Structure formats: structure tokens, C-alpha cells
């Protein structure tokens, strides 16, 4: 039995969408007719739909909050002793999002067919990436699926929380920049020319600052559309450059070299990697496979390549801490914690501690950056407005001379 998404018309001609379970599309159409609906389109929920909709684990059609809630619900239901098939059905019934509900029912359909939960999730790679699927598979093999799902829910919630804090910290600066650009543009295009026009009727030389500001104002009036096109083109060009791996590597490498930004990038990516690796190791996934899978959560390309190279060194007999220390991209405290975990046999716990340490440091850096950035931006905006005001007031100060 599979899950099918349908589009149908009711007796009033109103279009309805929903989900039904059945063996074939024909059976679904029959069910719709029995309900008094006219079927228009019936499609099985599957991996192709998942790819077409562009759903991703951390962002896209399935939000972080939805996935974290689903994982937590599934873990709770499995811990209560409910079979996986029934747990998936119960989770789908408690889900408000239609896309997530269709994905859950699609996974359930595979489980009903006799496949494992991991295999069912594996058919939706844009919703459940390799790290998630491999962890679930390890939980099923070890017989501790509920504990593994609890770990995954903690992971998704912590990542969602960190992402939300970063986004919340960026909202105010972005708003302030856009507001400053809007205010300055209005002053330069509308206010400055209207005010200075009063003094231009007098046959006298305006102050240098006023003339420079007036020339810049005329430039904006005539070429504002060109600047806008250049800005838009620059944004699209930058995004196109990020699609090329060579360009993306150079940009990511430069980010690591920046004084504060580089430290933040290292901390966030290290926290992601160590937490993912902790879940994998704690779930019984072999270390080499765990490192390879966990490297996929790292967004910085040089750091991801460093982990992949470290996995090769570990395969040759090196310890994880020494292998990661070779490229000097990971914080020393993280390497010390990993070395301690290897020596004590509690690698998963020390990795989790390293993740918590880096998450706290990232939060501290974000708070410090925002505390410094906000007054700097306010002062910069005030300075620009002051220059514009001076350009307007200087002719007034020289009004007597201009009249003479």
C-alpha cells in the first residue's frame, strides 16, 4: 500500500487536494468517486516528487522545526513500544504541513512493503540526507532505534536553535543597512537638489562640499537605474561563482582568514561536524564511515575537504585528533577533547561536549559582533547624514556673501 497525492473537484467545482493510501492510482480514483469527487490528478508520493519539490533536511519545503518535531514524535512513539508502521501513521496524522505529511506517508508505504525505515527514508534523499539515513540504519541494526531518534531530534533542534540565533542576529543589521541606503538615497535624489536649487539662482560659487554633493546627487538621478542593475548583476554573478567549486573554495578559504568572521565560521562548522559525528559514533556507525558521512554537514569547503583527508589518514592508522590537526583548520580545544575521548573510550561523549563548547563560543561571538556592529553602523549612518546636512547648511552660513 502506498501514499498518493490527489487533485479533485467537488460537486461545486471547487478544487481539492489531499492524501490517500491505496495500492494503485486506479484504486485512489475509485475512492475519490465514492466520496463524490471527480479526480483530476493522482500521483504516488515518491523520491521523484521529493526531488522536484526541492525539499531539504535543513531548509526548503520541510522546515527545521517540522523535521525536529517529526523526529521527536517518532522517537517518543517508538520508545512507547509502538511498531514503526503505526508510529509513522500517528506522526503523519499529527502533522499539519501537507508536504511533510506526504513524505511521512511515503516512507510508511515503503515500510509496509517490508523495507526498513532507513531504506524508506533513503528514497527521499532531499528530505533525509545520508547522515540522517545512516544514523537511522545504525539504530535499526543495533535495536536501539528510539535512542538514536532521540539523538537525531536533539541534533536537529540544536542546529535549528543555532541557525535561528544567527538569523536573528543578522535581522537588525540588515534592516539598518537597507534603511540607511533608503534614507541617504532619498536625501541625495530629492532633498539635496531642491534645497541647493535655492542658492543656485544666486550667481556665486557654492562651497566645495555642496558642489560635490550636488554632483553626486545628479549622478544618482541619472544613473540610479544603472547602479541598481549593476547591484543585481553583482548578486547573481556572486551566486553563479558560488556554484563553481573552485570559486567557492577560494571564497570559503578567505572567510577562514578573516579575524572574527573566520573564527565564527570555524566554530559553527566544527559544532555541526562534532555533533553529527557524536551521533554517528554513539549509534554504532564505524568511525571511517561516520567521518565521511558527518563531513557532509560542513558548509565550508576547505574544512569539509580537511575532514575527508583526515578520514584517509585514520584509515592508514592515525588517530582522529592527529588527523584533524594536520590542516590546522579545527580549534585546538576541539582536538584536545577528541584526543581525550579516544584515550578514555568515550569518544561520542567528548564529541558532544566539543559541539556544546563550540556552540557556546559561536553564540558569544555573535553577541559580541552584534554589540560592536550596531553602534558602528549607527555612527556611520549618522556621519553620512551629517555630511549631507553640512552640504546644505554651508551655503546658508555664507548667505550674506552669496547675496552680495
Amino acid at each position: 500500500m502506498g501514499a498518493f497525492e490527489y487533485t479533485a473537484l467537488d460537486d461545486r467545482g471547487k478544487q481539492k487536494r489531499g492524501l490517500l493510501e491505496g495500492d494503485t492510482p486506479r484504486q485512489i480514483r475509485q475512492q475519490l468517486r465514492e466520496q463524490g469527487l471527480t479526480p483530476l490528478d493522482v500521483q504516488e508520493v515518491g523520491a521523484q516528487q521529493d526531488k522536484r519539490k526541492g525539499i531539504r533536511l535543513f531548509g526548503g519545503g520541510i522546515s527545521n522545526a517540522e523535521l525536529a518535531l517529526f523526529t521527536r514524535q517518532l522517537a517518543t512513539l517508538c520508545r512507547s513500544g509502538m511498531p514503526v508502521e503505526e508510529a509513522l501513521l500517528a506522526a503523519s496524522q499529527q502533522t499539519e504541513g501537507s508536504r511533510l505529511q506526504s513524505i511521512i506517508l511515503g516512507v510508511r508505504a515503503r515500510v509496509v512493503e517490508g523495507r526498513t525505515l532507513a531504506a524508506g527514508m533513503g528514497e527521499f534523499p532531499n528530505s533525509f540526507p545520508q547522515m540522517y539515513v545512516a544514523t537511522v540504519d545504525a539504530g535499526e541494526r543495533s535495536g536501539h532505534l528510539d535512542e538514536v531518534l532521540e539523538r537525531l531530534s536533539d541534533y536537529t533542534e540544536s542546529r535549528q536553535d543555532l541557525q535561528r540565533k544567527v538569523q536573528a542576529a543578522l535581522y537588525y543589521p540588515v534592516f539598518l543597512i537597507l534603511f540607511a541606503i533608503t534614507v541617504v538615497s532619498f536625501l541625495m535624489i530629492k532633498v539635496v537638489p531642491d534645497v541647493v536649487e535655492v542658492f543656485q539662482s544666486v550667481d556665486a560659487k557654492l562651497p566645495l562640499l555642496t558642489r560635490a554633493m550636488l554632483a553626486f546627487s545628479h549622478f544618482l538621478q541619472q544613473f540610479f537605474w544603472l547602479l541598481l542593475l549593476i547591484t543585481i548583476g553583482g548578486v547573481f554573478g556572486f551566486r553563479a561563482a558560488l556554484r563553481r567549486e573552485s570559486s567557492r573554495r577560494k571564497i570559503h578559504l578567505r572567510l577562514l582568514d578573516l579575524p572574527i568572521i573566520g573564527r565564527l565560521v570555524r566554530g559553527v562548522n566544527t559544532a555541526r561536524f562534532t555533533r553529527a559525528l557524536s551521533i554517528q559514533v554513539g549509534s554504532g556507525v564505524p568511525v571511517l564511515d561516520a567521518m565521511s558521512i558527518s563531513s557532509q554537514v560542513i558548509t565550508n569547503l576547505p574544512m569539509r575537504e580537511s575532514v575527508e583527508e583526515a578520514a584517509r589518514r585514520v584509515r592508514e592508522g592515525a588517530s582522529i585528533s592527529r588527523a584533524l590537526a594536520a590542516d590546522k583548520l579545527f580549534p585546538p580545544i576541539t582536538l584536545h577533547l577528541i584526543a581525550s575521548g579516544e584515550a578514555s573510550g568515550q569518544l561520542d561523549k567528548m564529541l558532544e561536549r566539543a559541539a556544546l563548547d563550540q556552540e557556546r563560543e559561536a553564540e558569544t561571538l555573535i553577541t559580541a559582533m552584534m554589540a560592536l556592529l550596531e553602534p558602528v553602523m549607527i555612527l556611520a549612518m549618522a556621519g553620512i547624514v551629517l555630511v549631507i546636512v553640512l552640504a546644505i547648511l554651508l551655503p546658508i552660513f555664507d548667505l550674506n556673501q552669496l547675496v552680495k
Side-chain angles (χ1 to χ4, degrees), residues 228-301:
L228 185 61
L229 288 177
I230 292 175
T231 301
I232 295 174
V235 170
F236 279 100
F238 181 74
R239 294 183 63 180
L242 287 178
R243 294 191 186 99
R244 296 195 300 270
E245 186 172 330
S246 58
S247 301
R248 191 163 67 251
R249 183 184 293 105
K250 292 178 181 178
I251 294 172
H252 288 181
L253 194 58
R254 289 187 178 275
L255 285 176
L256 292 175
D257 293 333
L258 295 177
I260 300 178
I261 300 296
R263 187 177 175 183
L264 180 61
V265 171
R266 292 173 193 268
V268 170
N269 281 279
T270 300
R272 289 176 178 174
F273 168 69
T274 50
R275 187 170 291 280
L277 186 60
S278 170
I279 295 174
Q280 295 281 304
V281 173
S283 302
V285 179
V287 172
L288 290 176
D289 294 337
M291 291 183 66
S292 177
I293 295 170
S294 301
S295 67
Q296 301 306 309
V297 304
I298 300 177
T299 56
N300 185 271
L301 204 55

Side-chain angles (χ1 to χ4, degrees), residues 108-333:
R108 178 179 178 273
R110 274 62 179 177
V111 174
V112 172
E113 293 172 358
R115 305 184 192 181
T116 63
L117 177 61
M121 290 179 171
E123 292 200 14
F124 299 86
N126 293 327
S127 296
F128 307 101
Q130 187 181 9
M131 192 277 288
Y132 197 103
V133 175
T135 306
V136 172
D137 181 61
E140 289 183 297
R141 292 176 182 275
S142 63
H144 300 288
L145 180 60
D146 52 347
E147 296 180 7
V148 170
L149 288 172
E150 288 284 353
R151 284 172 171 262
L152 278 175
S153 59
D154 290 339
Y155 172 72
T156 53
E157 288 168 359
S158 64
R159 180 162 180 173
Q160 174 198 357
D161 185 57
L162 182 60
Q163 186 178 16
R164 185 172 59 248
K165 289 178 180 178
V166 173
Q167 291 176 347
L170 292 176
Y171 284 152
Y172 180 73
V174 170
F175 170 77
L176 192 59
I177 290 173
L178 293 177
F179 180 75
I181 293 174
T182 303
V183 170
V184 171
S185 299
F186 174 76
L187 291 175
M188 294 301 299
I189 295 176
K190 183 64 179 176
V191 177
V192 171
D194 291 347
V195 175
V196 176
E197 186 178 355
V198 176
F199 304 102
Q200 285 183 316
S201 58
V202 182
D203 189 14
K205 187 176 182 181
L206 295 173
L208 177 61
L209 180 60
T210 304
R211 284 184 280 121
M213 199 64 62
L214 192 59
F216 184 59
S217 175
H218 289 162
F219 174 79
L220 285 179
Q221 286 178 319
Q222 295 179 10
F223 299 104
F224 182 78
W225 60 272
L226 180 61
L227 293 176
L228 185 61
L229 288 177
I230 292 175
T231 301
I232 295 174
V235 170
F236 279 100
F238 181 74
R239 294 183 63 180
L242 287 178
R243 294 191 186 99
R244 296 195 300 270
E245 186 172 330
S246 58
S247 301
R248 191 163 67 251
R249 183 184 293 105
K250 292 178 181 178
I251 294 172
H252 288 181
L253 194 58
R254 289 187 178 275
L255 285 176
L256 292 175
D257 293 333
L258 295 177
I260 300 178
I261 300 296
R263 187 177 175 183
L264 180 61
V265 171
R266 292 173 193 268
V268 170
N269 281 279
T270 300
R272 289 176 178 174
F273 168 69
T274 50
R275 187 170 291 280
L277 186 60
S278 170
I279 295 174
Q280 295 281 304
V281 173
S283 302
V285 179
V287 172
L288 290 176
D289 294 337
M291 291 183 66
S292 177
I293 295 170
S294 301
S295 67
Q296 301 306 309
V297 304
I298 300 177
T299 56
N300 185 271
L301 204 55
M303 293 185 70
R304 182 189 301 177
E305 293 172 348
S306 176
V307 172
E308 293 171 351
E309 181 62 30
R312 286 191 284 270
R313 297 191 186 103
V314 172
R315 184 178 291 108
E316 295 172 356
S319 65
I320 299 176
S321 57
R322 290 185 179 180
L324 290 174
D327 294 328
K328 299 181 179 179
L329 294 179
F330 289 87
I333 183 63

Side-chain angles (χ1 to χ4, degrees), residues 7-16 32 36-40:
T7 304
L9 294 177
D10 59 15
D11 54 358
R12 297 182 180 180
K14 186 177 180 180
Q15 193 174 95
K16 297 183 65 176
L32 293 172
L37 300 175
T38 303
L40 297 178

